[in-house]
Amino acid sequence: MDIRSTGAKRVPLERDRRWTVVKYALLSRVACLILGIVSSAIVNDYDASAQLVLAPATTYLAQVLRTLAHIVLRWDAFYFVHIAGSGYVYEQEHAFFPLLPILMRTLTQTVLRPLVAVGGEQAVLAVAGCIISNACFVAAAGTLYALGQYTLRNERLAYIASLLFVFAPSNMFMSAVYTESLFAWLVFSAMLCIARRQHVVASLLLCASSLCRSNGVMYAGYLVWDVVVRREAWIGKRWTQMVVRAVAAAGLVAVSVLGFVGFQIYGYRTHCLQPLYPNNPLRAYCDGLPATVYGFVQAEYWDVGFLRYYTWSQIPNFLLAAPMIVLSIAGIYTYAAHDPVRLATLGWKRRPSLQTAFLDTAFLGNGLLPHIYLWVLLLAVATTTMHVQVITRMFSAVPAVFWFAAHLASKDRFTQCIVTGYFVGYGLVGVVLFSNFFPPA
């Protein structure tokens, strides 16, 4: 059933489908963790670091905690667990934002506190992170379904996209002690609030997202779009009203990026004003903007920078990222080719032949414009500046990826098999590799 207006009455079918999405999301997380545990039991770990961090199990309950913690404590998860337990001790830890560690520590010191004496703090912190990630994943799936209804105005496509999110290529990262699920839920919720014109709530959610991941600041553009850029915002407004709206948008954006800014100020105070190691020379970011602690740490410890990843040794990682890059290019091209005038004029004009066409539904609708612009920006950043293999999990918080995949999957059986095969196959292989500490991370 198609939804032709945001005020359309919801019918029982939609409620049933939303709970169906939630049910599948929950079952997928259980299956993912079980597969990870079985895989870890059969295949020897590439790296035994988790065994060294976790306390030996002396009881059955401790063994259960240790087993679960063992498969989710990989790669970046070590940093999140250490930050949750000890705070920001080392400079390189400022590459990892504090919202997830704060939630992990809070859950460990409250609801899960009795388990610390049984399994040890490290294991319980890891389990807390796992619980948060999986709960947020389920919530994100349901939120993406609701967002799809508002944006696509096509319930079927919103449903298919949500199911594809449930079986996303970044499968195991959504269940491990990583920020992907938490971030996806926050930004999907913020987008849904913006679609409902709940801008203040959206700015608070985006503030939390920028305290979760650095790319959260990019999503603040949705507020600017909705308040002052989109054509509909100007209809019936005087220029004085638009000035007021511009000022309001600036305030909303300031709130949205507050999480990121606050974390950079914390890093500056820690390493510049009250350095943990006073005898060490001050870093470049201590001289102030435009340098930030986060930017410095990414470049210094992870060699992140413009075209730095373009070396022969990184070809395997580009191949791993290739499916998502191709899918993104195809999605952006498909939308742009449908009406290039609309894309070039921020939706203010349309191609003459489409002036009277109904463009407000499905993947080619006008509602996707800001999502396409974000997709283009993130694709450019991911392919030129970041560790390119991260694109698969980074794009788990880009709704347009799943909407385009659903658009393709709705065409014919062959295309459907290609799309679902990539999503499910890549995700399952990722579970096995991640659970045994194999790259990619």
Side-chain angles (χ1 to χ4, degrees):
M1 180 185 124
D2 291 349
I3 301 295
R4 295 300 182 183
S5 68
T6 56
K9 183 179 178 181
R10 298 194 179 281
V11 296
L13 174 61
E14 292 174 17
R15 287 198 295 272
D16 291 343
R17 300 263 269 199
R18 181 176 298 188
W19 284 112
T20 300
V21 170
V22 169
K23 178 182 70 177
Y24 280 126
L26 185 60
L27 290 175
S28 76
R29 294 310 91 200
V30 174
C32 174
L33 292 173
I34 291 175
L35 177 59
I37 291 171
V38 172
S39 174
S40 181
I42 296 175
V43 182
N44 291 327
D45 287 353
Y46 177 74
D47 188 305
S49 300
Q51 302 282 3
L52 302 176
V53 171
L54 300 174
T58 56
T59 65
Y60 177 76
L61 180 56
Q63 184 59 50
V64 172
L65 292 172
R66 196 175 193 276
T67 299
L68 180 57
H70 177 256
I71 64 162
V72 298
L73 194 55
R74 298 287 188 263
W75 305 105
D76 295 354
F78 284 98
Y79 287 99
F80 288 117
V81 169
H82 182 262
I83 293 167
S86 306
Y88 286 88
V89 178
Y90 306 106
E91 183 183 55
Q92 61 265 37
E93 290 179 325
H94 286 267
F96 305 94
F97 281 58
L99 182 59
L100 178 59
I102 290 171
L103 295 177
M104 289 164 58
R105 186 171 183 83
T106 301
L107 187 59
T108 299
Q109 293 183 341
T110 53
V111 179
L112 302 181
R113 188 175 183 85
L115 297 179
V116 175
V118 178
E121 185 182 49
Q122 301 297 310
V124 177
L125 283 170
V127 170
C130 178
I131 292 172
I132 292 166
S133 290
N134 285 277
C136 288
F137 178 84
V138 174
T143 305
L144 180 62
Y145 174 71
L147 177 64
Q149 287 181 300
Y150 271 90
T151 306
L152 302 172
R153 308 202 179 178
N154 183 304
E155 190 277 336
R156 180 173 177 271
L157 208 62
Y159 178 67
I160 295 172
S162 301
L163 293 183
L164 288 171
F165 175 79
V166 167
F167 300 101
S170 54
N171 199 333
M172 190 62 191
F173 291 98
M174 311 303 283
S175 283
V177 189
Y178 272 65
T179 56
E180 271 66 21
S181 289
L182 174 59
F183 183 75
W185 173 62
L186 287 170
V187 296
F188 291 169
S189 298
M191 293 175 192
L192 183 58
C193 286
I194 292 171
R196 293 169 173 170
R197 306 294 181 260
Q198 299 169 341
H199 297 130
V200 174
V201 177
S203 68
L204 295 175
L205 288 166
L206 290 175
C207 176
S209 77
S210 72
L211 193 63
C212 180
R213 291 182 65 90
S214 62
N215 51 313
V217 299
M218 297 182 183
Y219 288 74
Y222 280 99
L223 288 166
V224 178
W225 172 271
D226 199 65
V227 176
V228 296
V229 175
R230 64 186 179 92
R231 185 172 181 270
E232 294 78 6
W234 288 75
I235 296 176
K237 302 290 193 309
R238 296 190 300 270
W239 71 269
T240 52
Q241 292 175 299
M242 292 312 301
V243 170
V244 172
R245 290 176 70 90
V247 172
L252 292 169
V253 169
V255 172
S256 300
V257 303
L258 196 58
F260 177 86
V261 173
F263 184 50
Q264 300 315 300
I265 293 173
Y266 168 77
Y268 177 83
R269 289 177 59 86
T270 301
H271 298 287
C272 301
L273 301 183
Q274 301 169 344
L276 295 173
Y277 307 101
N279 296 328
N280 291 349
L282 293 178
R283 295 295 204 177
Y285 54 79
C286 291
D287 293 332
L289 296 175
T292 63
V293 182
Y294 175 76
F296 175 86
V297 166
Q298 287 282 10
E300 181 74 10
Y301 294 94
W302 279 271
D303 197 32
V304 171
F306 186 67
L307 300 184
R308 289 190 182 184
Y309 221 53
Y310 280 72
T311 62
W312 292 110
S313 62
Q314 298 301 338
I315 288 178
N317 285 323
F318 275 91
L319 293 176
L320 286 171
M324 184 58 73
I325 294 174
V326 171
L327 181 69
S328 298
I329 293 173
I332 293 167
Y333 174 79
T334 299
Y335 189 88
H338 180 71
D339 190 351
V341 175
R342 175 181 59 178
L343 191 72
T345 61
L346 302 179
W348 280 68
K349 294 183 179 181
R350 296 177 181 175
R351 197 170 67 188
S353 60
L354 296 174
Q355 286 288 350
T356 58
F358 185 72
L359 300 177
D360 292 332
T361 60
F363 178 74
L364 301 175
N366 295 326
L368 268 79
L369 261 179
H371 297 280
I372 298 299
Y373 293 134
L374 175 71
W375 200 0
V376 171
L377 176 61
L378 291 177
L379 179 63
V381 172
T383 54
T384 62
T385 306
M386 295 171 47
H387 290 185
V388 72
Q389 72 271 19
V390 176
I391 191 174
T392 303
R393 56 187 175 94
M394 178 187 179
F395 278 22
S396 62
V398 180
V401 168
F402 303 99
W403 293 335
F404 178 62
H407 171 75
L408 291 177
S410 301
K411 287 190 170 184
D412 55 69
R413 183 57 61 90
F414 177 76
T415 308
Q416 184 183 73
C417 290
I418 295 294
V419 172
T420 55
Y422 162 56
F423 272 63
V424 176
Y426 199 105
L428 290 177
V429 172
V431 172
V432 175
L433 293 176
F434 185 95
S435 300
N436 293 283
F437 224 135
F438 285 98

